[in-house]
Amino acid sequence: MTSATSPSPATPSQQAKSTAIAAGSLKDVIAAPTAICTIDGIEGKLIYRGYSIEDLAAHATYDEVVYLLWDGELPTRSQLDAFSTRLAGSREVPRVVIDHLRMIPAEAHPLAVLRSGVSLLAHYDAQSESMDPQATRAKAERLLGQVPTIVTARARLRKGEEPVPPRSDLPAASNFLWMLFGKEPDEVTAHAMDVAFILHAEHEFNASSFVARVAAGTYVDLHSSLTAAIAALKGPRHGGANEDVIEMIEEVGSPDHAEKWARDRLQRYLSASREERARPELRFPGMGHAVYKTWDPRARILQKLAGEVANLHGEGWIAEIQETVRTVAAEGLGLNPNVDYYSAGLYHALGIPSDLFTSIFATARTAGYVAHIEEQLGGGRLIRPRGEYTGPKDRTLVPIDQR
Ligand code: COA
């Protein structure tokens, strides 16, 4: 029997938990039950509602995946048709919101504009304050259609071009490219973008989805929780990483320079102090992952598709640079690519400006955010952890005139 004065030694999982708490990362800490998605970081598996990401990418469309994430089951043909019709009919954004977008300075980051845009949409949605589950779902369907409209409208407005109105006859990813370029994508590109949307739709308790859950835990409305999630997505340790991948590709410039660039980066990283190594600019962008200890399964799927699209658009050099850098990072640091590494290559090959990449991520991930927000609202509690206090104790206040 364990005595009260000599506690039993911590188990490996308790040790991992206290290490994560000490590091302030909550890494590997199970925060709440969820039936939406799970990841096996050792095997490199990603599962949405019981289906592997490989299966979904090969046999489902983005709309089917959204239905699955929100309702827990894949739709029948008639359920999908009705769902897709509703989603496609929700793509218009109130004129007044577009007018707001016109007034934001051109240099504003697109994701910052999206964050403001989603917040603005709330003021023009008659149900925005309603916490009724049916109203939340109706708002979710609208937001899924409106988020890409805001992203693409703003992308055009900042170049002095007028927005291209959404089309209800195109799937979500093709409609995105249509609204961005005013041109329908070819079949290979349309398929690759649809798969990219599926791969980005959901990813368990990643930082921004967790933020969405924390907000929803306060029992706040959908627009508020989604705005909070998009704000958290913006950081370079999270969604912002794919922009850094393009910076890398542009800095390298040509496949001939890739090996030298990668070896220099490796050298700089290895000679940096432990603190400095945490800085995104010293790391290999799009590599490593908080959960996957092997290849991110989404990276494997996108590597192939991005390569096909790049070749089709005469941009095969991008994949060459990426392969060289990947090999050096793997050999030197045992790093593996994550989803951002190849989504960046795909979007770059399509001529999409790199500062829009995270907004594409947000567009697709709106599906996952909604699933988490609904799950949290439907029975979750207020999320309110405690801090391990490390500050000074028992101080006596000296009145201001005597300090
Ligand atoms: N470049 C160089 N080293 C990296 C690295 C990268 N991209 N990713 C991880 N590492 C190293 C760390 O320096 C650390 O080494 P150490 O144990 O010697 O200190 C080790 O791998 C673990 O890294 P850590 O930062 O503790 O892991 P994490 O789980 O907290 O970090 C990321 C995960 C995503 C923040 C990290 O991999 C990263 O910065 N990647 C680049 C940005 C990116 O691609 N983000 C998108 C994720 S989808």
Side-chain angles (χ1 to χ4, degrees), residues 49-80:
R49 302 263 189 205
Y51 296 96
S52 77
I53 196 66
E54 289 81 6
D55 211 2
L56 292 166
H59 303 296
T61 60
Y62 178 67
D63 280 4
E64 276 177 272
V65 169
V66 177
Y67 190 103
L68 172 71
L69 290 171
W70 290 2
D71 281 296
E73 297 297 334
L74 284 166
T76 62
R77 170 64 59 196
S78 65
Q79 285 170 329
L80 179 65

PDB file of all heavy atoms in Angstrom, residues 49-80:
ATOM      1  N   ARG A  49     -13.477  11.015 -38.305  1.00  0.00           N
ATOM      2  CA  ARG A  49     -14.687  10.245 -37.990  1.00  0.00           C
ATOM      3  C   ARG A  49     -14.562   8.770 -38.397  1.00  0.00           C
ATOM      4  O   ARG A  49     -15.492   8.177 -38.950  1.00  0.00           O
ATOM      5  CB  ARG A  49     -15.906  10.843 -38.699  1.00  0.00           C
ATOM      6  CG  ARG A  49     -16.190  12.302 -38.350  1.00  0.00           C
ATOM      7  CD  ARG A  49     -17.226  12.425 -37.287  1.00  0.00           C
ATOM      8  NE  ARG A  49     -17.672  13.785 -37.071  1.00  0.00           N
ATOM      9  CZ  ARG A  49     -18.194  14.218 -35.925  1.00  0.00           C
ATOM     10  NH1 ARG A  49     -18.313  13.395 -34.904  1.00  0.00           N
ATOM     11  NH2 ARG A  49     -18.592  15.446 -35.775  1.00  0.00           N
ATOM     12  N   GLY A  50     -13.367   8.208 -38.202  1.00  0.00           N
ATOM     13  CA  GLY A  50     -13.165   6.788 -38.473  1.00  0.00           C
ATOM     14  C   GLY A  50     -12.625   6.472 -39.855  1.00  0.00           C
ATOM     15  O   GLY A  50     -12.262   5.325 -40.128  1.00  0.00           O
ATOM     16  N   TYR A  51     -12.566   7.434 -40.755  1.00  0.00           N
ATOM     17  CA  TYR A  51     -12.077   7.191 -42.122  1.00  0.00           C
ATOM     18  C   TYR A  51     -10.660   7.752 -42.278  1.00  0.00           C
ATOM     19  O   TYR A  51     -10.391   8.881 -41.846  1.00  0.00           O
ATOM     20  CB  TYR A  51     -12.975   7.867 -43.164  1.00  0.00           C
ATOM     21  CG  TYR A  51     -14.386   7.325 -43.197  1.00  0.00           C
ATOM     22  CD1 TYR A  51     -15.400   7.955 -42.492  1.00  0.00           C
ATOM     23  CD2 TYR A  51     -14.701   6.179 -43.927  1.00  0.00           C
ATOM     24  CE1 TYR A  51     -16.696   7.465 -42.505  1.00  0.00           C
ATOM     25  CE2 TYR A  51     -16.000   5.682 -43.949  1.00  0.00           C
ATOM     26  CZ  TYR A  51     -16.991   6.323 -43.237  1.00  0.00           C
ATOM     27  OH  TYR A  51     -18.261   5.841 -43.248  1.00  0.00           O
ATOM     28  N   SER A  52      -9.777   6.979 -42.924  1.00  0.00           N
ATOM     29  CA  SER A  52      -8.402   7.460 -43.101  1.00  0.00           C
ATOM     30  C   SER A  52      -8.375   8.602 -44.107  1.00  0.00           C
ATOM     31  O   SER A  52      -9.196   8.662 -45.032  1.00  0.00           O
ATOM     32  CB  SER A  52      -7.498   6.320 -43.582  1.00  0.00           C
ATOM     33  OG  SER A  52      -7.717   6.091 -44.961  1.00  0.00           O
ATOM     34  N   ILE A  53      -7.404   9.476 -43.940  1.00  0.00           N
ATOM     35  CA  ILE A  53      -7.288  10.627 -44.840  1.00  0.00           C
ATOM     36  C   ILE A  53      -6.984  10.155 -46.275  1.00  0.00           C
ATOM     37  O   ILE A  53      -7.424  10.769 -47.245  1.00  0.00           O
ATOM     38  CB  ILE A  53      -6.237  11.639 -44.311  1.00  0.00           C
ATOM     39  CG1 ILE A  53      -6.384  12.991 -44.998  1.00  0.00           C
ATOM     40  CG2 ILE A  53      -4.813  11.143 -44.449  1.00  0.00           C
ATOM     41  CD1 ILE A  53      -7.654  13.714 -44.708  1.00  0.00           C
ATOM     42  N   GLU A  54      -6.276   9.026 -46.388  1.00  0.00           N
ATOM     43  CA  GLU A  54      -5.962   8.511 -47.730  1.00  0.00           C
ATOM     44  C   GLU A  54      -7.254   8.114 -48.448  1.00  0.00           C
ATOM     45  O   GLU A  54      -7.443   8.396 -49.629  1.00  0.00           O
ATOM     46  CB  GLU A  54      -5.019   7.295 -47.642  1.00  0.00           C
ATOM     47  CG  GLU A  54      -3.586   7.612 -47.225  1.00  0.00           C
ATOM     48  CD  GLU A  54      -3.410   7.785 -45.711  1.00  0.00           C
ATOM     49  OE1 GLU A  54      -4.377   7.550 -44.955  1.00  0.00           O
ATOM     50  OE2 GLU A  54      -2.299   8.168 -45.298  1.00  0.00           O
ATOM     51  N   ASP A  55      -8.134   7.422 -47.690  1.00  0.00           N
ATOM     52  CA  ASP A  55      -9.405   6.963 -48.254  1.00  0.00           C
ATOM     53  C   ASP A  55     -10.264   8.158 -48.673  1.00  0.00           C
ATOM     54  O   ASP A  55     -10.850   8.192 -49.763  1.00  0.00           O
ATOM     55  CB  ASP A  55     -10.129   6.152 -47.160  1.00  0.00           C
ATOM     56  CG  ASP A  55     -10.991   5.049 -47.736  1.00  0.00           C
ATOM     57  OD1 ASP A  55     -10.991   4.908 -48.972  1.00  0.00           O
ATOM     58  OD2 ASP A  55     -11.658   4.342 -46.948  1.00  0.00           O
ATOM     59  N   LEU A  56     -10.321   9.151 -47.790  1.00  0.00           N
ATOM     60  CA  LEU A  56     -11.149  10.331 -48.080  1.00  0.00           C
ATOM     61  C   LEU A  56     -10.592  11.105 -49.270  1.00  0.00           C
ATOM     62  O   LEU A  56     -11.349  11.535 -50.144  1.00  0.00           O
ATOM     63  CB  LEU A  56     -11.225  11.237 -46.841  1.00  0.00           C
ATOM     64  CG  LEU A  56     -11.995  10.637 -45.655  1.00  0.00           C
ATOM     65  CD1 LEU A  56     -11.733  11.425 -44.380  1.00  0.00           C
ATOM     66  CD2 LEU A  56     -13.493  10.574 -45.952  1.00  0.00           C
ATOM     67  N   ALA A  57      -9.260  11.258 -49.304  1.00  0.00           N
ATOM     68  CA  ALA A  57      -8.655  12.021 -50.418  1.00  0.00           C
ATOM     69  C   ALA A  57      -8.871  11.305 -51.744  1.00  0.00           C
ATOM     70  O   ALA A  57      -9.046  11.941 -52.789  1.00  0.00           O
ATOM     71  CB  ALA A  57      -7.163  12.223 -50.157  1.00  0.00           C
ATOM     72  N   ALA A  58      -8.891   9.971 -51.699  1.00  0.00           N
ATOM     73  CA  ALA A  58      -9.011   9.206 -52.951  1.00  0.00           C
ATOM     74  C   ALA A  58     -10.460   9.078 -53.412  1.00  0.00           C
ATOM     75  O   ALA A  58     -10.733   9.001 -54.612  1.00  0.00           O
ATOM     76  CB  ALA A  58      -8.399   7.811 -52.775  1.00  0.00           C
ATOM     77  N   HIS A  59     -11.412   9.048 -52.479  1.00  0.00           N
ATOM     78  CA  HIS A  59     -12.778   8.672 -52.876  1.00  0.00           C
ATOM     79  C   HIS A  59     -13.876   9.660 -52.516  1.00  0.00           C
ATOM     80  O   HIS A  59     -15.040   9.407 -52.820  1.00  0.00           O
ATOM     81  CB  HIS A  59     -13.136   7.315 -52.254  1.00  0.00           C
ATOM     82  CG  HIS A  59     -12.174   6.231 -52.625  1.00  0.00           C
ATOM     83  ND1 HIS A  59     -12.018   5.806 -53.923  1.00  0.00           N
ATOM     84  CD2 HIS A  59     -11.287   5.531 -51.889  1.00  0.00           C
ATOM     85  CE1 HIS A  59     -11.081   4.868 -53.957  1.00  0.00           C
ATOM     86  NE2 HIS A  59     -10.622   4.688 -52.739  1.00  0.00           N
ATOM     87  N   ALA A  60     -13.546  10.736 -51.811  1.00  0.00           N
ATOM     88  CA  ALA A  60     -14.613  11.678 -51.423  1.00  0.00           C
ATOM     89  C   ALA A  60     -14.311  13.071 -51.959  1.00  0.00           C
ATOM     90  O   ALA A  60     -13.192  13.358 -52.390  1.00  0.00           O
ATOM     91  CB  ALA A  60     -14.735  11.724 -49.902  1.00  0.00           C
ATOM     92  N   THR A  61     -15.330  13.923 -51.933  1.00  0.00           N
ATOM     93  CA  THR A  61     -15.139  15.326 -52.300  1.00  0.00           C
ATOM     94  C   THR A  61     -15.130  16.160 -51.017  1.00  0.00           C
ATOM     95  O   THR A  61     -15.519  15.669 -49.949  1.00  0.00           O
ATOM     96  CB  THR A  61     -16.301  15.830 -53.173  1.00  0.00           C
ATOM     97  OG1 THR A  61     -17.510  15.696 -52.411  1.00  0.00           O
ATOM     98  CG2 THR A  61     -16.415  15.043 -54.465  1.00  0.00           C
ATOM     99  N   TYR A  62     -14.722  17.426 -51.159  1.00  0.00           N
ATOM    100  CA  TYR A  62     -14.676  18.303 -49.978  1.00  0.00           C
ATOM    101  C   TYR A  62     -16.055  18.415 -49.324  1.00  0.00           C
ATOM    102  O   TYR A  62     -16.169  18.305 -48.102  1.00  0.00           O
ATOM    103  CB  TYR A  62     -14.140  19.680 -50.384  1.00  0.00           C
ATOM    104  CG  TYR A  62     -14.093  20.666 -49.234  1.00  0.00           C
ATOM    105  CD1 TYR A  62     -13.224  20.470 -48.157  1.00  0.00           C
ATOM    106  CD2 TYR A  62     -14.917  21.788 -49.209  1.00  0.00           C
ATOM    107  CE1 TYR A  62     -13.181  21.368 -47.094  1.00  0.00           C
ATOM    108  CE2 TYR A  62     -14.876  22.699 -48.150  1.00  0.00           C
ATOM    109  CZ  TYR A  62     -14.004  22.479 -47.102  1.00  0.00           C
ATOM    110  OH  TYR A  62     -13.970  23.370 -46.054  1.00  0.00           O
ATOM    111  N   ASP A  63     -17.100  18.595 -50.125  1.00  0.00           N
ATOM    112  CA  ASP A  63     -18.449  18.726 -49.530  1.00  0.00           C
ATOM    113  C   ASP A  63     -18.824  17.470 -48.738  1.00  0.00           C
ATOM    114  O   ASP A  63     -19.431  17.557 -47.661  1.00  0.00           O
ATOM    115  CB  ASP A  63     -19.513  18.960 -50.618  1.00  0.00           C
ATOM    116  CG  ASP A  63     -19.559  20.415 -51.080  1.00  0.00           C
ATOM    117  OD1 ASP A  63     -18.716  21.213 -50.619  1.00  0.00           O
ATOM    118  OD2 ASP A  63     -20.420  20.740 -51.925  1.00  0.00           O
ATOM    119  N   GLU A  64     -18.472  16.298 -49.276  1.00  0.00           N
ATOM    120  CA  GLU A  64     -18.767  15.054 -48.540  1.00  0.00           C
ATOM    121  C   GLU A  64     -18.041  15.035 -47.202  1.00  0.00           C
ATOM    122  O   GLU A  64     -18.583  14.588 -46.189  1.00  0.00           O
ATOM    123  CB  GLU A  64     -18.292  13.831 -49.348  1.00  0.00           C
ATOM    124  CG  GLU A  64     -19.265  13.340 -50.391  1.00  0.00           C
ATOM    125  CD  GLU A  64     -18.650  12.168 -51.160  1.00  0.00           C
ATOM    126  OE1 GLU A  64     -17.962  12.434 -52.166  1.00  0.00           O
ATOM    127  OE2 GLU A  64     -18.851  11.022 -50.751  1.00  0.00           O
ATOM    128  N   VAL A  65     -16.792  15.510 -47.230  1.00  0.00           N
ATOM    129  CA  VAL A  65     -15.985  15.512 -46.009  1.00  0.00           C
ATOM    130  C   VAL A  65     -16.554  16.497 -44.987  1.00  0.00           C
ATOM    131  O   VAL A  65     -16.609  16.208 -43.792  1.00  0.00           O
ATOM    132  CB  VAL A  65     -14.502  15.808 -46.352  1.00  0.00           C
ATOM    133  CG1 VAL A  65     -13.684  16.086 -45.097  1.00  0.00           C
ATOM    134  CG2 VAL A  65     -13.904  14.627 -47.120  1.00  0.00           C
ATOM    135  N   VAL A  66     -17.023  17.655 -45.469  1.00  0.00           N
ATOM    136  CA  VAL A  66     -17.629  18.622 -44.540  1.00  0.00           C
ATOM    137  C   VAL A  66     -18.870  17.987 -43.887  1.00  0.00           C
ATOM    138  O   VAL A  66     -19.059  18.065 -42.668  1.00  0.00           O
ATOM    139  CB  VAL A  66     -18.019  19.931 -45.269  1.00  0.00           C
ATOM    140  CG1 VAL A  66     -18.707  20.895 -44.303  1.00  0.00           C
ATOM    141  CG2 VAL A  66     -16.794  20.589 -45.896  1.00  0.00           C
ATOM    142  N   TYR A  67     -19.675  17.341 -44.706  1.00  0.00           N
ATOM    143  CA  TYR A  67     -20.882  16.682 -44.191  1.00  0.00           C
ATOM    144  C   TYR A  67     -20.487  15.659 -43.111  1.00  0.00           C
ATOM    145  O   TYR A  67     -21.078  15.592 -42.038  1.00  0.00           O
ATOM    146  CB  TYR A  67     -21.619  16.002 -45.349  1.00  0.00           C
ATOM    147  CG  TYR A  67     -23.001  15.494 -44.998  1.00  0.00           C
ATOM    148  CD1 TYR A  67     -24.144  16.185 -45.405  1.00  0.00           C
ATOM    149  CD2 TYR A  67     -23.177  14.319 -44.266  1.00  0.00           C
ATOM    150  CE1 TYR A  67     -25.423  15.728 -45.089  1.00  0.00           C
ATOM    151  CE2 TYR A  67     -24.436  13.856 -43.942  1.00  0.00           C
ATOM    152  CZ  TYR A  67     -25.552  14.558 -44.359  1.00  0.00           C
ATOM    153  OH  TYR A  67     -26.810  14.101 -44.041  1.00  0.00           O
ATOM    154  N   LEU A  68     -19.463  14.873 -43.434  1.00  0.00           N
ATOM    155  CA  LEU A  68     -18.983  13.859 -42.491  1.00  0.00           C
ATOM    156  C   LEU A  68     -18.520  14.505 -41.186  1.00  0.00           C
ATOM    157  O   LEU A  68     -18.874  14.042 -40.089  1.00  0.00           O
ATOM    158  CB  LEU A  68     -17.817  13.087 -43.141  1.00  0.00           C
ATOM    159  CG  LEU A  68     -17.060  12.111 -42.248  1.00  0.00           C
ATOM    160  CD1 LEU A  68     -17.922  10.894 -41.937  1.00  0.00           C
ATOM    161  CD2 LEU A  68     -15.746  11.665 -42.914  1.00  0.00           C
ATOM    162  N   LEU A  69     -17.737  15.574 -41.290  1.00  0.00           N
ATOM    163  CA  LEU A  69     -17.211  16.219 -40.082  1.00  0.00           C
ATOM    164  C   LEU A  69     -18.335  16.796 -39.230  1.00  0.00           C
ATOM    165  O   LEU A  69     -18.299  16.727 -38.001  1.00  0.00           O
ATOM    166  CB  LEU A  69     -16.226  17.336 -40.454  1.00  0.00           C
ATOM    167  CG  LEU A  69     -14.894  16.869 -41.046  1.00  0.00           C
ATOM    168  CD1 LEU A  69     -14.094  18.063 -41.580  1.00  0.00           C
ATOM    169  CD2 LEU A  69     -14.059  16.115 -40.008  1.00  0.00           C
ATOM    170  N   TRP A  70     -19.341  17.335 -39.876  1.00  0.00           N
ATOM    171  CA  TRP A  70     -20.413  18.003 -39.129  1.00  0.00           C
ATOM    172  C   TRP A  70     -21.471  17.019 -38.620  1.00  0.00           C
ATOM    173  O   TRP A  70     -22.065  17.242 -37.576  1.00  0.00           O
ATOM    174  CB  TRP A  70     -21.098  19.066 -40.008  1.00  0.00           C
ATOM    175  CG  TRP A  70     -20.229  20.257 -40.293  1.00  0.00           C
ATOM    176  CD1 TRP A  70     -18.935  20.451 -39.887  1.00  0.00           C
ATOM    177  CD2 TRP A  70     -20.574  21.431 -41.046  1.00  0.00           C
ATOM    178  NE1 TRP A  70     -18.459  21.662 -40.338  1.00  0.00           N
ATOM    179  CE2 TRP A  70     -19.440  22.282 -41.052  1.00  0.00           C
ATOM    180  CE3 TRP A  70     -21.716  21.834 -41.729  1.00  0.00           C
ATOM    181  CZ2 TRP A  70     -19.430  23.514 -41.711  1.00  0.00           C
ATOM    182  CZ3 TRP A  70     -21.710  23.063 -42.364  1.00  0.00           C
ATOM    183  CH2 TRP A  70     -20.582  23.900 -42.354  1.00  0.00           C
ATOM    184  N   ASP A  71     -21.707  15.949 -39.387  1.00  0.00           N
ATOM    185  CA  ASP A  71     -22.807  15.048 -38.999  1.00  0.00           C
ATOM    186  C   ASP A  71     -22.348  13.672 -38.546  1.00  0.00           C
ATOM    187  O   ASP A  71     -23.172  12.869 -38.118  1.00  0.00           O
ATOM    188  CB  ASP A  71     -23.808  14.922 -40.153  1.00  0.00           C
ATOM    189  CG  ASP A  71     -24.723  16.133 -40.208  1.00  0.00           C
ATOM    190  OD1 ASP A  71     -25.483  16.330 -39.248  1.00  0.00           O
ATOM    191  OD2 ASP A  71     -24.638  16.912 -41.161  1.00  0.00           O
ATOM    192  N   GLY A  72     -21.085  13.389 -38.715  1.00  0.00           N
ATOM    193  CA  GLY A  72     -20.564  12.119 -38.219  1.00  0.00           C
ATOM    194  C   GLY A  72     -20.689  10.963 -39.183  1.00  0.00           C
ATOM    195  O   GLY A  72     -20.099   9.905 -38.973  1.00  0.00           O
ATOM    196  N   GLU A  73     -21.480  11.115 -40.251  1.00  0.00           N
ATOM    197  CA  GLU A  73     -21.664  10.041 -41.243  1.00  0.00           C
ATOM    198  C   GLU A  73     -21.474  10.619 -42.635  1.00  0.00           C
ATOM    199  O   GLU A  73     -21.752  11.805 -42.856  1.00  0.00           O
ATOM    200  CB  GLU A  73     -23.091   9.482 -41.173  1.00  0.00           C
ATOM    201  CG  GLU A  73     -23.456   8.814 -39.853  1.00  0.00           C
ATOM    202  CD  GLU A  73     -22.624   7.576 -39.551  1.00  0.00           C
ATOM    203  OE1 GLU A  73     -22.126   6.930 -40.501  1.00  0.00           O
ATOM    204  OE2 GLU A  73     -22.453   7.256 -38.365  1.00  0.00           O
ATOM    205  N   LEU A  74     -21.047   9.764 -43.554  1.00  0.00           N
ATOM    206  CA  LEU A  74     -20.987  10.208 -44.953  1.00  0.00           C
ATOM    207  C   LEU A  74     -22.414  10.346 -45.483  1.00  0.00           C
ATOM    208  O   LEU A  74     -23.292   9.575 -45.096  1.00  0.00           O
ATOM    209  CB  LEU A  74     -20.202   9.193 -45.794  1.00  0.00           C
ATOM    210  CG  LEU A  74     -18.680   9.243 -45.611  1.00  0.00           C
ATOM    211  CD1 LEU A  74     -18.026   8.004 -46.200  1.00  0.00           C
ATOM    212  CD2 LEU A  74     -18.084  10.514 -46.224  1.00  0.00           C
ATOM    213  N   PRO A  75     -22.637  11.314 -46.365  1.00  0.00           N
ATOM    214  CA  PRO A  75     -24.006  11.508 -46.865  1.00  0.00           C
ATOM    215  C   PRO A  75     -24.371  10.496 -47.946  1.00  0.00           C
ATOM    216  O   PRO A  75     -23.498   9.948 -48.622  1.00  0.00           O
ATOM    217  CB  PRO A  75     -23.929  12.910 -47.485  1.00  0.00           C
ATOM    218  CG  PRO A  75     -22.499  13.038 -47.928  1.00  0.00           C
ATOM    219  CD  PRO A  75     -21.678  12.278 -46.931  1.00  0.00           C
ATOM    220  N   THR A  76     -25.668  10.275 -48.120  1.00  0.00           N
ATOM    221  CA  THR A  76     -26.141   9.562 -49.305  1.00  0.00           C
ATOM    222  C   THR A  76     -26.083  10.556 -50.463  1.00  0.00           C
ATOM    223  O   THR A  76     -25.893  11.763 -50.250  1.00  0.00           O
ATOM    224  CB  THR A  76     -27.596   9.112 -49.127  1.00  0.00           C
ATOM    225  OG1 THR A  76     -28.405  10.297 -48.964  1.00  0.00           O
ATOM    226  CG2 THR A  76     -27.777   8.195 -47.929  1.00  0.00           C
ATOM    227  N   ARG A  77     -26.328  10.079 -51.678  1.00  0.00           N
ATOM    228  CA  ARG A  77     -26.298  10.978 -52.835  1.00  0.00           C
ATOM    229  C   ARG A  77     -27.301  12.122 -52.664  1.00  0.00           C
ATOM    230  O   ARG A  77     -26.962  13.287 -52.874  1.00  0.00           O
ATOM    231  CB  ARG A  77     -26.591  10.150 -54.106  1.00  0.00           C
ATOM    232  CG  ARG A  77     -26.837  10.930 -55.363  1.00  0.00           C
ATOM    233  CD  ARG A  77     -25.654  11.745 -55.864  1.00  0.00           C
ATOM    234  NE  ARG A  77     -24.482  10.946 -56.156  1.00  0.00           N
ATOM    235  CZ  ARG A  77     -23.248  11.465 -56.302  1.00  0.00           C
ATOM    236  NH1 ARG A  77     -23.051  12.766 -56.158  1.00  0.00           N
ATOM    237  NH2 ARG A  77     -22.234  10.687 -56.588  1.00  0.00           N
ATOM    238  N   SER A  78     -28.532  11.797 -52.229  1.00  0.00           N
ATOM    239  CA  SER A  78     -29.531  12.878 -52.140  1.00  0.00           C
ATOM    240  C   SER A  78     -29.207  13.831 -50.984  1.00  0.00           C
ATOM    241  O   SER A  78     -29.418  15.039 -51.088  1.00  0.00           O
ATOM    242  CB  SER A  78     -30.942  12.319 -52.035  1.00  0.00           C
ATOM    243  OG  SER A  78     -31.076  11.623 -50.828  1.00  0.00           O
ATOM    244  N   GLN A  79     -28.664  13.303 -49.891  1.00  0.00           N
ATOM    245  CA  GLN A  79     -28.269  14.199 -48.786  1.00  0.00           C
ATOM    246  C   GLN A  79     -27.161  15.139 -49.241  1.00  0.00           C
ATOM    247  O   GLN A  79     -27.165  16.333 -48.938  1.00  0.00           O
ATOM    248  CB  GLN A  79     -27.768  13.374 -47.588  1.00  0.00           C
ATOM    249  CG  GLN A  79     -28.889  12.696 -46.814  1.00  0.00           C
ATOM    250  CD  GLN A  79     -28.346  11.706 -45.786  1.00  0.00           C
ATOM    251  OE1 GLN A  79     -27.284  11.095 -45.974  1.00  0.00           O
ATOM    252  NE2 GLN A  79     -29.083  11.525 -44.707  1.00  0.00           N
ATOM    253  N   LEU A  80     -26.215  14.570 -50.001  1.00  0.00           N
ATOM    254  CA  LEU A  80     -25.094  15.398 -50.471  1.00  0.00           C
ATOM    255  C   LEU A  80     -25.585  16.478 -51.440  1.00  0.00           C
ATOM    256  O   LEU A  80     -25.163  17.641 -51.342  1.00  0.00           O
ATOM    257  CB  LEU A  80     -24.029  14.525 -51.154  1.00  0.00           C
ATOM    258  CG  LEU A  80     -22.835  15.298 -51.706  1.00  0.00           C
ATOM    259  CD1 LEU A  80     -22.038  15.962 -50.577  1.00  0.00           C
ATOM    260  CD2 LEU A  80     -21.916  14.396 -52.527  1.00  0.00           C
TER     261      LEU A  80
END
